[in-house]
Amino acid sequence: MAAALNEKGSAVPPTLVTPPSSSSSASSSILSTVASPFTSLATRFGNWKAGFNLPNPGSVENLQKEVKQTHLTNFIFDGARADLTKGLSVDPAFQVTHSFSLGSQSAPSSYHFSAVYANANLLLQGGVGDDGNLNGRLNRQWNSSHLTKVQASLTSSAQAQNMIILEHDYTGSDYSVNFKAMNPSPINGTGIYIGNALQSVTKNLALGLETLYQKPTPDMDEMTTSYLLKYTGDRKDWIATAQLQPAGILQATYWQKLSDKVEVAADLQLIAAPQRREAVTTLGAKYDFRMATFRAQVDSTGKVSALLEQKFGPSFAFLFAGEIDHLKAAAKVGVGVMIESTSLTPEEMGYPPQGYPSQA
């Protein structure tokens, strides 16, 4: 074979090509042959399931989201409180908050400072209290399907325990999967591990399960499984959920949007254990005014509570809360203010410059 010549006319030695190894080719061929039926089955199952055009049912964490936003459980307070928030940046978002509370019957007076930084794919949140406790949160959105969350809490109290939570969410076209580890130890495997999944069966019905595995010591462990159900109306104006936990614990909720301003919700918690039988029912409603939101709630234990959030402008809100426990002949009252300020100019906040007409 004649040697090739380069631009200067010198001979270029021929390039040696190493033939592929026959053993590696045979291994790849055997592997593809063995995996082919499973790959084909998975592809056909995916195509068959996609043909139903089922919606994503949401996550297990947000199974009762609408009910919690209607009821007062996460909003009620007593005593006096003030939240002062200042925005330092819009894109990326960055703000700090000073929170004060005093005069509460259930908690001592406290001060808490927190900061939030967020952009399209990242959320960083941290805070410190006057008792020296630190807490932080990190949410990282890798793409439209994968979300990683990290939470940490450091306490200065000898009675409390430091906590770290590692969590990952996967959102499919018609299902959601979540895995969470609380204080995991790679040395002896202790910690609390939770895995859950929610799958749409029809366009209205979704079924799921949640498994909890806890190992407080290397020689002690326990595992329990709960079963979940979610049914959504055709117009998505009402949602019913049920969660059956071990030892005869059942929680059922119902939420309905009566109009653009009115939402109602009901919650039933039933315990049918051999040593304990108890049932608590909670009914609540939320009404949105133009510049205010009113929530009211009553339960079967004799508690009646209400919360009014009145906005006097985009940066100032006044809160008034009250709760009466008829069986215990007790009452709680709370007042609060929420003030938001910013050091940004209207142009930095995205508003049109002063003196210039806004463009449509």
Side-chain angles (χ1 to χ4, degrees):
M1 177 184 295
L5 300 178
N6 58 15
E7 296 179 354
K8 297 182 179 180
S10 303
V12 178
T15 303
L16 297 179
V17 180
T18 304
S21 173
S22 59
S23 60
S24 61
S25 301
S27 301
S28 302
S29 177
I30 294 175
L31 183 60
S32 61
T33 303
V34 173
S36 178
F38 300 99
T39 330
S40 176
L41 180 62
T43 303
R44 284 186 293 174
F45 177 76
N47 295 335
W48 172 77
K49 192 173 65 167
F52 291 97
N53 194 24
L54 298 177
N56 182 276
S59 63
V60 174
E61 181 181 6
N62 295 327
L63 185 68
Q64 303 159 356
K65 176 182 177 182
E66 292 79 8
V67 175
K68 293 179 180 179
Q69 290 180 344
T70 304
H71 283 176
L72 281 154
T73 307
N74 296 333
F75 301 95
I76 194 67
F77 68 96
D78 66 320
R81 56 174 287 188
D83 296 325
L84 312 178
T85 302
K86 184 169 185 178
L88 303 176
S89 175
V90 175
D91 190 15
F94 181 53
Q95 67 179 32
V96 296
T97 301
H98 303 269
S99 300
F100 305 85
S101 66
L102 58 107
S104 174
Q105 301 180 21
S106 57
S109 302
S110 64
Y111 164 76
H112 190 265
F113 172 80
S114 61
V116 178
Y117 173 89
N119 57 25
N121 301 315
L122 181 66
L123 170 67
L124 295 174
Q125 182 178 3
V128 58
D130 60 347
D131 53 2
N133 294 340
L134 299 173
N135 60 81
R137 174 192 296 267
L138 183 149
N139 290 3
R140 180 64 167 89
Q141 185 81 46
W142 304 102
N143 51 42
S144 59
S145 300
H146 291 274
L147 172 63
T148 300
K149 305 176 184 178
V150 179
Q151 299 182 54
S153 177
L154 304 178
T155 177
S156 59
S157 174
Q159 290 80 16
Q161 182 183 14
N162 297 330
M163 180 73 67
I164 182 170
I165 302 175
L166 308 177
E167 188 174 357
H168 188 81
D169 291 333
Y170 179 79
T171 304
S173 59
D174 56 2
Y175 66 95
S176 298
V177 179
N178 171 271
F179 178 78
K180 181 186 301 183
M182 305 172 65
N183 279 2
S185 174
I187 300 176
N188 52 22
T190 58
I192 300 176
Y193 305 90
I194 303 174
N196 56 62
L198 193 62
Q199 169 71 58
S200 290
V201 180
T202 68
K203 292 186 177 181
N204 304 99
L205 178 64
L207 301 176
L209 56 84
E210 181 176 67
T211 298
L212 183 147
Y213 175 78
Q214 52 183 345
K215 191 175 183 180
T217 61
D219 55 349
M220 181 185 301
D221 60 353
E222 181 184 1
M223 185 172 66
T224 59
T225 300
S226 304
Y227 302 95
L228 312 169
L229 180 147
K230 179 179 181 180
Y231 194 92
T232 307
D234 293 333
R235 296 183 297 176
K236 301 185 184 299
D237 56 348
W238 65 272
I239 299 174
T241 69
Q243 181 174 4
L244 179 61
Q245 303 177 16
I249 301 176
L250 172 66
Q251 182 177 11
T253 66
Y254 178 81
W255 169 87
Q256 184 170 359
K257 188 171 185 178
L258 301 179
S259 66
D260 294 338
K261 298 182 178 181
V262 182
E263 300 177 14
V264 295
D267 178 88
L268 170 65
Q269 296 185 14
L270 177 65
I271 301 177
Q275 297 83 8
R276 180 184 178 189
R277 292 182 178 273
E278 182 181 346
V280 178
T281 303
T282 305
L283 303 177
K286 184 181 76 167
Y287 191 96
D288 290 323
F289 298 90
R290 188 177 65 89
M291 294 289 291
T293 299
F294 178 74
R295 290 179 172 89
Q297 177 177 301
V298 60
D299 60 33
S300 57
T301 63
K303 291 183 180 180
V304 179
S305 52
L307 171 65
L308 174 65
E309 179 181 346
Q310 175 68 56
K311 294 183 179 181
F312 295 97
S315 60
F316 181 78
F318 175 79
L319 294 88
F320 182 80
E323 180 183 275
I324 299 177
D325 192 333
H326 290 89
L327 298 183
K328 297 181 179 180
K332 297 179 181 180
V333 176
V335 292
V337 293
M338 299 174 62
I339 301 175
E340 297 182 8
S341 63
T342 179
S343 59
L344 303 176
T345 63
E347 290 79 6
E348 292 175 328
M349 298 178 61
Y351 295 109
Q354 296 292 333
Y356 292 89
S358 59
Q359 297 180 356

